[in-house]
Amino acid sequence: MPDPLLIPDVFRVGLVGYGLAGASFHAPLIAREPALSLRAIATRNAEAVARDWPGARVLSVEDLLADPELELIVVASPNDSHAALAEQALRAGKHVVVEKPFTLESGAAARLGALAREKHRCLTVFQNRRWDGDFLTVRQLIEQGRLGKLYSFESHFDRFRPQVKKRWKEEDVPGGGTLWDLGPHLVDQALQLFGMPDSIIADVGRQRAEGKAVDWFHLLLRYGELRVILHSGSVVHEPWPRFVVQGEADAYLKHGLDPQEEQLKAGLRPGMAGWGAEPPERHGRLSRGGSVPTVPGRYEEFYRQLVLAMRGEGPVPVTAESAAQVIQVLEAAQRSAEEGRTVPLD
């Protein structure tokens, strides 16, 4: 339990990286949390910081991690740097948020969790899609028993991006490709609902002619009789439903992605009218029960829960252990695809 006399009223935050994740997700959400203050950003894009957050200092990564003013470090840099930067921040005595994927191998995830416990610091991973409205709706339907015994669960994150963009996520580098970009979201949601699977069968590929990294994946997770399918394609004109859940009593079908990412990019913020809400025409439906209003999404819940955890008043929003399990499943998926076999999971 932290010493109440040493807990600040407002935690000062340093953000590493000002790309899509840092600029569109973390900075706006940090700014909407009254107990957080964004003080410094490590980026090469100083002009964007001066435009968006004129009160924040632009520092090198090394200077930001060593800055004694900062209590919380948010790591929103390329995937292959997450583990090293999180370790440096923890050793500097900071609380740490890591953008997903947590790490690129499960051993590193376990070591970071142990280090955070040793240093008595909060370590959490930005699995923001736990607070997608459609996922919250699916979870509610399952917990209420409205679908009955489940037989299949399908989760799709499809895009129509036939042209390969010049960015690290689409390069053949550690942590590049959609399996490590979108896979952590889909896997984490499945684990939140059903826990670790008995086994996994995976197929991953590169479909676009100029593509260098994985841009298509299909994962089959086995849970006894239940089958969970997690899928993403990059050249999908007509996206499959976001969720299809088949149960003994009913089935749920939902099209379209949660609106919060696009709302953040458009300047909408938590607390504003319409935040996280979907119009009725976007609602999912039950086969027997008709339309189901989508639970409003709430990405702001992540940082609200983190503040409570740093004050010793609750758990972190995403534990390092649960984030490490996501990495274990992705590692197993890679083995399955490479070896063409079913891979068991503990």
Side-chain angles (χ1 to χ4, degrees):
M1 184 77 175
D3 186 341
L5 297 177
L6 301 178
I7 300 174
D9 292 330
V10 175
F11 294 90
R12 293 161 295 193
V13 183
L15 173 60
V16 180
Y18 201 65
L20 171 63
S24 296
F25 287 91
H26 293 283
L29 293 174
I30 290 167
R32 297 299 292 188
E33 171 50 56
L36 298 177
S37 176
L38 183 57
R39 297 297 184 87
I41 300 175
T43 178
R44 292 191 292 267
N45 197 351
E47 291 183 2
V49 173
R51 178 193 67 225
D52 299 338
W53 310 102
R57 293 171 292 144
V58 176
L59 302 176
S60 68
V61 173
E62 292 74 17
D63 288 344
L64 185 144
L65 294 176
D67 192 331
E69 179 193 50
L70 304 174
E71 290 101 7
L72 172 63
I73 302 297
V74 178
V75 178
S77 52
N79 295 347
D80 60 356
S81 65
H82 289 181
L85 292 175
E87 180 177 354
Q88 291 178 52
L90 287 169
R91 293 193 181 281
K94 315 296 187 183
H95 301 292
V96 181
V97 172
V98 186
E99 179 58 54
K100 61 82 198 165
F102 183 18
T103 62
L104 297 185
E105 58 101 12
S106 55
R111 289 191 293 273
L112 287 175
L115 179 61
R117 292 189 294 272
E118 175 190 326
K119 297 294 184 180
H120 303 289
R121 289 295 179 266
C122 292
L123 171 64
T124 188
V125 179
F126 191 62
Q127 291 287 358
N128 58 298
R129 293 193 178 274
R130 293 188 187 185
W131 292 275
D132 275 2
D134 47 19
F135 176 69
L136 293 173
T137 305
V138 169
R139 186 168 204 163
Q140 183 179 87
L141 290 170
I142 293 173
E143 290 175 349
Q144 291 174 346
R146 296 177 65 180
L147 305 179
K149 179 181 179 180
L150 298 185
Y151 291 105
S152 69
F153 176 95
E154 295 187 40
S155 175
H156 284 249
F157 202 140
D158 295 316
R159 294 167 165 171
F160 181 68
R161 295 184 178 178
Q163 303 302 318
V164 177
K165 295 183 178 181
K166 292 184 178 181
R167 55 178 187 163
W168 66 263
K169 287 186 178 183
E170 306 215 41
E171 294 292 329
D172 185 17
V173 298
T178 56
L179 182 64
W180 287 97
D181 181 27
L182 303 179
H185 288 312
L186 302 186
V187 170
D188 182 69
Q189 289 182 336
L191 298 192
Q192 285 300 294
L193 293 175
F194 309 116
M196 286 289 278
D198 303 322
S199 63
I200 185 171
I201 303 171
D203 186 12
V204 304
R206 188 185 69 222
Q207 292 190 323
R208 293 172 296 177
E210 297 179 1
K212 299 178 181 179
V214 167
D215 58 13
W216 185 95
F217 64 80
H218 189 87
L219 314 182
L220 173 60
L221 282 59
R222 290 175 168 171
Y223 295 84
E225 295 174 343
L226 172 66
R227 296 294 183 266
V228 171
I229 294 171
L230 310 177
H231 181 93
S232 178
S234 298
V235 189
V236 182
H237 290 265
E238 290 292 333
W240 293 89
R242 175 68 182 87
F243 289 108
V244 180
V245 190
Q246 302 282 356
E248 190 171 34
D250 211 335
Y252 175 73
L253 184 146
K254 171 72 172 65
H255 284 86
L257 291 172
D258 177 274
Q260 290 173 97
E261 177 175 348
E262 294 307 316
Q263 288 177 339
L264 284 168
K265 291 177 181 177
L268 200 65
R269 300 291 182 259
M272 294 182 179
W275 168 255
E278 282 192 331
E281 60 269 20
R282 291 279 300 276
H283 291 170
R285 62 178 178 84
L286 294 170
S287 294
R288 298 180 179 179
S291 179
V292 178
T294 304
V295 175
R298 47 180 191 270
Y299 286 171
E300 67 274 18
E301 188 70 10
F302 177 88
Y303 278 108
R304 187 193 72 81
Q305 290 185 22
L306 177 58
V307 167
L308 292 176
M310 291 190 294
R311 289 175 173 165
E313 299 174 4
V316 293
V318 176
T319 66
E321 291 76 16
S322 70
Q325 289 182 326
V326 172
I327 307 307
Q328 290 174 348
V329 173
L330 291 172
E331 288 176 327
Q334 286 188 313
R335 289 200 302 273
S336 174
E338 290 168 0
E339 298 171 13
R341 67 180 180 92
T342 300
V343 174
L345 283 154
D346 294 332

